Amino acid sequence: MIEKKLKRNAKKIDKFLINFLNKQKKSSLVPPMKYGVISGGKKIRSTIIFDTGKIFKLKEKKLINICAAVECIHSYSLIHDDLPCMDNDALRRGKPSTHKKFGEATAVLAGNSLLTLAFEIISDDKNLLSNYQKNEIIRLLANCSGHTGIAGGQESDLKFEKKSKTLKQIIEMQKNKTGKLFNFCLQSSAIIAKKRNKEKLFFGKLGEEIGLLFQLADDFLDLKGSKKLAGKPTKKDKKKGKSTLISIIGYEKASKYADKLKKKILLNLKKHGKNAQDLTDTVNFILNRNF
Ligand code: GRG
């Protein structure tokens, strides 16, 4: 069921991105950009935006630009994450990673171009949001992507390798590295729904917890998952000495922590009744996923 929804949404986002890029001037970076962002990946962040949109009864046409933008940032982070100076991985989404296919310099530039494309997509004239909303969303996306978000989290992740860290430090790092983009997914929908500040922040924090759950599931996949299904190397966290919840409290306790976190998230969604059913289903999928 959820797999079908993910595929349907991924197709919509791919189509949007292809159209958007086709309207721009051609450059030799377009093929590696498309390779990195189109026809691959679950596009789960877009699904989460659409699911949150249902809570606020928002039409998909008001959300599609932020979905495409978030996928550009996410794919950019994966292209850079795979580089030899970062996690040095040769396989992504079941294919050679972008630097393996196009070379390192091109992969860096294609990643950077996806970052800037995200902001073009949000500020585009055809985006149905008001300029005020676009500005607020751009500020939030920049904040979630830079040193206070993904990039900062990645820096900590690399610095934490082979070091002894506390539970609090690891959770903080994972909330930045992975959670901040999920914060964006929920909070930007609340912005579009013109919610009050308090509610926007509440949804942002809830998104961050969903992102943390997603990262924990990713760590479980690394330990127990299959390379074929995941489309990326597994069993590498231990080899690299990555600081994860599993590395400090062990699989059983980390698994209990994740179950508790999922219950907390679902309890918060319950308040929104049947409008939150889609997001509830996606959260359930996140912890059980094998890809
Ligand atoms: C992008 C702002 C920015 C900076 C670059 C390299 C880097 C700094 C950050 C890396 C962050 C990172 C790789 C976090 C891991 C998040 C994660 C669990 C990724 C896997 O996401 P999926 O499963 O991937 O949604 P698919 O392939 O399905 O899209």
Side-chain angles (χ1 to χ4, degrees):
M1 201 46 185
I2 170 106
E3 278 86 350
K4 271 195 188 154
K5 178 171 80 168
L6 286 169
K7 278 201 180 124
R8 207 169 47 237
N9 289 338
K11 259 194 188 164
K12 285 182 203 162
I13 307 307
D14 282 351
K15 197 172 156 200
F16 179 97
L17 283 165
I18 291 168
N19 281 338
F20 200 92
L21 281 167
N22 283 349
K23 282 191 196 129
Q24 295 193 321
K25 204 170 156 230
K26 304 275 165 294
S27 85
S28 58
L29 282 174
V30 171
M33 287 164 75
K34 282 187 172 168
Y35 184 83
V37 72
I38 292 163
S39 309
K42 295 176 283 302
K43 306 257 178 343
I44 196 159
R45 291 154 189 81
S46 293
T47 285
I48 285 184
I49 291 174
F50 285 147
D51 290 346
T52 311
K54 291 224 167 108
I55 298 181
F56 302 127
K57 300 197 177 71
L58 295 170
K59 294 216 162 69
E60 284 193 359
K61 61 182 180 190
K62 279 202 152 188
L63 299 166
I64 190 116
N65 287 60
I66 56 166
C67 292
V70 102
E71 296 302 342
C72 286
I73 301 273
H74 166 60
S75 292
Y76 149 51
S77 78
L78 298 184
I79 294 172
H80 281 201
D81 189 51
D82 291 337
L83 289 169
C85 62
M86 301 256 177
D87 275 358
N88 194 18
D89 281 322
L91 187 75
R92 173 68 67 182
R93 296 171 172 168
K95 320 182 278 193
S97 18
T98 306
H99 70 275
K100 283 283 166 195
K101 175 97 178 163
F102 295 92
E104 260 181 74
T106 300
V108 169
L109 296 169
N112 292 346
S113 303
L114 284 172
L115 165 70
T116 49
L117 187 69
F119 296 100
E120 280 186 77
I121 289 174
I122 297 174
S123 56
D124 191 53
D125 287 341
K126 289 206 179 67
N127 185 353
L128 299 171
L129 311 179
S130 69
N131 283 343
Y132 187 83
Q133 285 181 322
K134 286 180 192 174
N135 186 56
E136 192 174 349
I137 287 172
I138 285 171
R139 193 181 331 129
L140 178 65
L141 186 58
N143 181 274
C144 289
S145 307
H147 72 104
T148 52
I150 314 177
Q154 174 79 350
E155 169 77 354
S156 304
D157 184 57
L158 295 168
K159 290 262 159 70
F160 285 8
E161 278 179 17
K162 301 187 181 81
K163 302 258 164 57
S164 139
K165 293 287 155 189
T166 64
L167 185 75
K168 202 171 159 222
Q169 283 171 315
I170 293 172
I171 288 172
E172 183 65 18
M173 174 272 285
Q174 295 196 332
K175 276 191 173 172
N176 281 330
K177 184 180 82 155
T178 309
K180 280 286 165 76
L181 215 48
F182 286 81
N183 173 324
F184 174 80
C185 293
L186 273 75
Q187 197 174 163
S188 56
S189 299
I191 292 172
I192 296 171
K194 302 193 174 91
K195 294 288 157 192
R196 285 169 192 270
N197 250 356
K198 203 174 155 196
E199 205 166 348
K200 288 190 264 193
L201 292 176
F202 169 82
F203 274 92
K205 283 288 156 212
L206 187 61
E208 222 160 282
E209 291 187 336
I210 296 176
L212 175 62
L213 189 71
F214 190 86
Q215 181 59 53
L216 295 176
D218 212 66
D219 297 343
F220 299 147
L221 261 182
D222 180 82
L223 183 75
K224 300 205 174 223
S226 104
K227 177 177 168 179
K228 195 158 178 239
L229 283 175
K232 61 183 182 182
T234 52
K235 307 196 177 29
K236 59 189 179 67
D237 286 353
K238 201 171 174 196
K239 267 187 236 153
K240 286 192 168 151
K242 286 276 182 200
S243 280
T244 64
L245 239 62
I246 302 173
S247 76
I248 60 158
I249 58 175
Y251 175 75
E252 296 300 329
K253 280 191 181 153
S255 178
K256 279 196 184 127
Y257 182 97
D259 275 334
K260 229 171 127 183
L261 178 63
K262 187 182 91 169
K263 282 193 186 122
K264 186 180 161 204
I265 294 165
L266 294 183
L267 200 66
N268 272 312
L269 287 178
K270 224 174 170 180
K271 296 174 200 152
H272 297 274
K274 63 176 179 12
N275 290 344
Q277 191 54 52
D278 277 40
L279 190 51
T280 298
D281 293 345
T282 304
V283 169
N284 276 316
F285 161 79
I286 282 177
L287 196 54
N288 298 329
R289 72 197 173 95
N290 56 11
F291 68 101

